[in-house]
Coordinates of all heavy atoms in Angstrom, one line a residue:
A775 N 0.9 -1.2 0.0 CA 0.0 0.0 0.0 C 0.8 1.3 0.0 O 0.5 2.3 -0.7 CB -0.9 0.0 1.2
A776 N 1.9 1.2 0.8 CA 2.8 2.4 0.8 C 3.5 2.7 -0.5 O 3.7 3.9 -0.9 CB 3.9 2.2 1.9
E777 N 3.8 1.7 -1.3 CA 4.3 1.9 -2.6 C 3.3 2.1 -3.7 O 3.6 2.7 -4.8 CB 5.2 0.7 -3.0 CG 6.6 0.6 -2.2 CD 7.5 -0.3 -2.8 OE1 7.7 -0.3 -4.1 OE2 8.1 -1.1 -2.1
G778 N 2.1 1.6 -3.5 CA 1.1 1.6 -4.6 C 0.3 2.9 -4.7 O -0.3 3.1 -5.8
G779 N 0.3 3.7 -3.7 CA -0.5 4.9 -3.7 C -0.3 5.8 -4.9 O -1.3 6.3 -5.5
E780 N 1.0 6.0 -5.3 CA 1.2 6.9 -6.5 C 0.7 6.3 -7.8 O 0.5 7.1 -8.7 CB 2.7 7.2 -6.5 CG 3.6 6.0 -6.9 CD 5.1 6.4 -7.0 OE1 5.4 7.2 -7.9 OE2 5.8 5.9 -6.2
F781 N 0.4 5.1 -7.7 CA -0.2 4.5 -9.0 C -1.6 4.2 -8.9 O -2.2 3.5 -9.8 CB 0.6 3.1 -9.3 CG 2.1 3.3 -9.3 CD1 2.9 2.8 -8.4 CD2 2.7 4.0 -10.4 CE1 4.2 2.9 -8.4 CE2 4.1 4.1 -10.4 CZ 4.9 3.6 -9.4
G782 N -2.2 4.7 -7.8 CA -3.7 4.5 -7.6 C -4.0 3.0 -7.2 O -5.1 2.6 -7.4
I783 N -3.0 2.3 -6.7 CA -3.2 0.9 -6.3 C -3.4 0.9 -4.8 O -2.6 1.3 -4.0 CB -2.0 0.0 -6.6 CG1 -1.8 0.1 -8.1 CG2 -2.2 -1.4 -6.1 CD1 -0.5 -0.6 -8.6
R784 N -4.6 0.5 -4.4 CA -5.0 0.4 -3.0 C -4.8 -1.1 -2.5 O -5.1 -2.0 -3.2 CB -6.4 0.8 -2.7 CG -6.7 2.3 -3.2 CD -8.1 2.7 -2.8 NE -9.1 1.9 -3.5 CZ -9.9 1.1 -2.9 NH1 -9.8 0.8 -1.6 NH2 -10.9 0.5 -3.6
V785 N -4.4 -1.2 -1.2 CA -4.2 -2.6 -0.7 C -4.7 -2.6 0.8 O -4.3 -1.8 1.6 CB -2.7 -3.0 -0.7 CG1 -2.6 -4.4 -0.4 CG2 -2.0 -2.6 -2.0
N786 N -5.7 -3.5 1.0 CA -6.3 -3.5 2.3 C -6.4 -5.1 2.7 O -6.3 -5.9 1.9 CB -7.7 -2.9 2.3 CG -7.6 -1.4 2.0 OD1 -7.2 -0.6 2.9 ND2 -8.0 -0.9 0.9
T787 N -6.6 -5.2 4.0 CA -6.6 -6.6 4.5 C -7.9 -6.8 5.4 O -8.3 -6.0 6.2 CB -5.4 -6.8 5.4 OG1 -4.2 -6.5 4.6 CG2 -5.3 -8.2 5.9
I788 N -8.4 -8.0 5.2 CA -9.5 -8.5 6.1 C -9.1 -9.5 7.0 O -8.3 -10.5 6.7 CB -10.7 -9.0 5.2 CG1 -11.3 -7.8 4.4 CG2 -11.7 -9.7 6.0 CD1 -12.3 -8.4 3.4
L789 N -9.5 -9.4 8.3 CA -9.1 -10.4 9.3 C -10.3 -11.1 9.8 O -11.0 -10.7 10.7 CB -8.4 -9.6 10.5 CG -7.3 -8.6 10.2 CD1 -6.8 -7.9 11.5 CD2 -6.2 -9.3 9.4
P790 N -10.6 -12.3 9.2 CA -11.7 -13.1 9.7 C -11.4 -14.0 10.8 O -10.2 -14.2 11.2 CB -12.0 -14.0 8.4 CG -11.1 -13.6 7.4 CD -9.9 -12.9 8.0
D791 N -12.4 -14.4 11.5 CA -12.2 -15.5 12.4 C -12.6 -16.8 11.7 O -12.9 -16.8 10.6 CB -13.1 -15.3 13.7 CG -12.6 -16.3 14.9 OD1 -11.6 -16.9 14.7 OD2 -13.3 -16.3 15.9
A792 N -12.6 -17.9 12.4 CA -12.9 -19.2 11.9 C -14.2 -19.3 11.0 O -15.2 -18.9 11.5 CB -13.0 -20.2 13.0
I793 N -14.0 -19.7 9.7 CA -15.1 -19.8 8.8 C -15.1 -21.3 8.4 O -14.3 -21.8 7.6 CB -14.9 -18.9 7.6 CG1 -14.9 -17.5 8.0 CG2 -16.0 -19.1 6.6 CD1 -14.5 -16.5 7.0
L794 N -16.0 -22.0 9.0 CA -16.1 -23.4 8.8 C -16.8 -23.9 7.5 O -16.5 -24.9 6.9 CB -16.7 -24.1 10.0 CG -15.7 -24.4 11.2 CD1 -15.3 -23.1 11.8 CD2 -16.4 -25.3 12.2
Q795 N -17.8 -23.0 7.1 CA -18.6 -23.4 5.9 C -17.8 -23.4 4.6 O -17.2 -22.3 4.3 CB -19.8 -22.5 5.8 CG -20.8 -22.7 7.0 CD -20.2 -22.0 8.2 OE1 -19.4 -21.1 8.2 NE2 -20.7 -22.4 9.4
G796 N -17.9 -24.4 3.8 CA -17.4 -24.4 2.5 C -15.8 -24.4 2.5 O -15.2 -24.0 1.4
S797 N -15.2 -24.7 3.5 CA -13.7 -24.5 3.6 C -13.0 -25.9 3.5 O -13.3 -26.8 4.3 CB -13.3 -23.9 4.9 OG -11.9 -23.8 5.1
A798 N -12.1 -26.0 2.6 CA -11.3 -27.3 2.5 C -10.4 -27.4 3.7 O -10.1 -28.5 4.2 CB -10.5 -27.3 1.2

């Protein structure tokens, strides 16, 4: 994200907890 800003590239993160459904 720090390097991508000047190129209009956004980088974000999602922090989930345990997701049991449909997960291998």
Side-chain angles (χ1 to χ4, degrees):
E777 289 194 43
E780 65 179 293
F781 306 109
I783 300 171
R784 301 185 296 109
V785 191
N786 294 288
T787 305
I788 293 175
L789 310 181
D791 194 11
I793 299 171
L794 279 65
Q795 296 75 20
S797 170

